[in-house]
Amino acid sequence: MEIKKNDELIVDIVDISSEGEGIGKHQGFILFVNNTVVGDKVKVKVMKTKKSYGYARMMELLEASPFRVEARCPIAEKCGGCTLQHLVYRKQLEFKQNKVKNCLLRIGGFTENIPMEPIVGMEEPFYYRNKAQFPVGKDKDGGVVIGFYAGRTHSIIDTSHCYIQAEINDIIIEQIRRFLEVYKISIYEEETHTGLVRHILTRVGFVTGELMVCLVINGTKLPHQEEFIEFLTRIPHMTSISLNINQEKTNVILGNKVETIWGQPHITDYIGEIKYQISPLSFYQVNPIQTKKLYEIALNYADLHGEEVVWDLYCGIGTISLFLAEKAKQVYGVEIIPEAIEDARRNAEINGIQNAEFFVGAAEDILPRKYKEENIYADVIVVDPPRKGCDESLLDTIVQMSPKKVVYVSCDPATLARDLKYLCDRGYQIKKVQAVDQFGHSVHTETVVKLCRNNA
Ligand code: SAH
């Protein structure tokens, strides 16, 4: 029987896709069904078909899986953030562990026993994020909406409480909403590229309690700026208020220019003993509690004894570099965003760390150049690239420099597996793999891998 659009079928959900959809099978035909979990029996309506698979919408939950839980958040099904909230947390962890393993098997082509440690989960997978980016828009009647994008769309769901963000955001958003309404500040419209206020970026120091608010605007000035500051500084611990100028027609959230309009240009927070100053444009891990565990694993994998030269590539504001510096002879960090490197240098200074040096530029430019021109050396190389992984020319330089150990921190198991294959085809061996759940209720996971040179 051929399956067509609008067919109504009964399917058993047998697996979860890497994007978090339930995978149902009907006579060998695969259907992806949102908001279902392994073990559900559901009635679905087929929305779209390809040759061997299709997409369907759940019409009725006939039998609920034992792994199904009620999502705490009333908009979890619509919002693009928490695609797994209806799956019991222990199963989310199992899903992530398998996702990493499957990538290593299928993309990395690793067949022997992969030395995988059990994934490190969160004790409390709610209210864990220290950074939020809320899009601002208008509803049909012109009222202000602030919230999150519905999955795969740009329509904003108005939200007054998010279950994974720091709860103080509720108060910040309430103040900004009132400010925008009272002073009738114009709101950005994506389709026409008109209007002023686009996004609200907030950061919270989990240890210090310091708060940052950065308003992203399609313009250079905010009307009633003084009142804006007054609304926000009523909130205790407000530390930094800034404007980010983004006048491009783009869905990239932040522009390059930041103007501090009140307080400090950054907030301060700690991971372990190390103090970090974080500015609006710099990358900083979003889950501070899990980040500490992640960095401890990376430190453990680097296995430093005080004599080593370490290169930390994609170093951001120097978080991993400074974490490692205490145990190494010398650490060099490389990062593409100049402001992040300014933060990294300042962070080294405020912690009294003298054996960390930082370079601005693409890792794939800086490392090969330094290797060719200065014949630099490394005992350990740490990489922590964005989702697209490492450039092949960088991996090639790592192979030539031939450090005893490589520690790969990754936020994308697919590109991780691809890069590990490259290194393992050229003299490295995987010693340990451990996933760390930094992003509860989403499909994403962080992974740390220890590689050693074969003849080391
Ligand atoms: N290790 C840091 C940051 C990791 S995120 C931490 O744990 O906090 C990845 C970082 O890589 C970002 O700061 C990003 O700006 C930077 N980046 C992206 N492409 C890069 C490139 N080609 N070369 C160097 N850094 C890059």
Side-chain angles (χ1 to χ4, degrees), residues 283-285 295 312-317 319-320 334-337 340 361-364 384-386 388:
F283 176 89
Y284 186 66
Q285 296 282 357
Y295 290 174
D312 176 23
L313 310 176
Y314 311 87
C315 70
I317 62 170
T319 27
I320 297 179
V334 181
E335 159 64 44
I336 202 160
I337 297 183
E364 62 273 22
D384 183 7
K388 69 173 190 217

Side-chain angles (χ1 to χ4, degrees), residues 261-454:
I261 57 172
W262 183 86
Q264 307 283 328
H266 43 68
I267 57 166
T268 303
D269 203 22
Y270 285 82
I271 298 176
E273 302 286 301
I274 312 276
K275 188 158 66 168
Y276 298 98
Q277 288 183 345
I278 309 141
S279 40
L281 290 180
S282 342
F283 176 89
Y284 186 66
Q285 296 282 357
V286 297
N287 182 334
I289 295 170
Q290 292 298 95
T291 296
K292 179 158 179 276
K293 300 180 191 168
L294 178 79
Y295 290 174
E296 273 160 3
I297 296 167
L299 181 64
N300 179 264
Y301 285 3
D303 189 22
L304 303 173
H305 297 97
E307 293 305 314
E308 295 85 354
V309 174
V310 182
W311 280 79
D312 176 23
L313 310 176
Y314 311 87
C315 70
I317 62 170
T319 27
I320 297 179
S321 322
L322 300 182
F323 219 73
L324 300 181
E326 211 196 333
K327 302 269 165 65
K329 185 168 99 191
Q330 178 69 38
V331 178
Y332 299 102
V334 181
E335 159 64 44
I336 202 160
I337 297 183
E339 287 83 3
I341 287 291
E342 279 172 36
D343 285 352
R345 290 184 180 134
R346 193 160 11 86
N347 287 332
E349 205 177 295
I350 61 174
N351 286 287
I353 293 173
Q354 281 164 355
N355 59 338
E357 197 182 329
F358 296 96
F359 305 99
V360 181
E364 62 273 22
D365 292 336
I366 302 269
L367 200 74
R369 176 147 40 92
K370 294 238 167 231
Y371 181 61
K372 230 187 254 154
E373 292 170 6
E374 298 168 34
N375 197 22
I376 52 156
Y377 166 85
D379 294 289
V380 181
I381 295 182
V382 179
V383 296
D384 183 7
R387 285 194 195 152
K388 69 173 190 217
C390 297
D391 204 271
E392 203 172 284
S393 61
L394 173 70
L395 295 174
D396 195 48
T397 305
I398 294 177
V399 170
Q400 288 176 45
M401 285 175 71
S402 171
K404 282 194 226 63
K405 280 174 227 132
V406 175
V407 178
Y408 197 132
V409 182
S410 159
C411 55
D412 185 330
T415 56
L416 169 71
R418 178 200 69 198
D419 293 351
L420 291 179
K421 178 172 166 45
Y422 190 93
L423 293 172
C424 291
D425 284 345
R426 291 165 182 76
Y428 282 86
Q429 208 178 6
I430 299 179
K431 292 290 180 193
K432 267 183 186 154
V433 179
Q434 188 153 35
V436 178
D437 187 25
Q438 297 265 69
F439 317 106
H441 308 298
S442 82
V443 293
H444 301 292
T445 185
E446 200 83 8
T447 312
V448 198
V449 179
K450 176 181 185 174
L451 295 141
C452 286
R453 202 176 62 210
N454 281 338

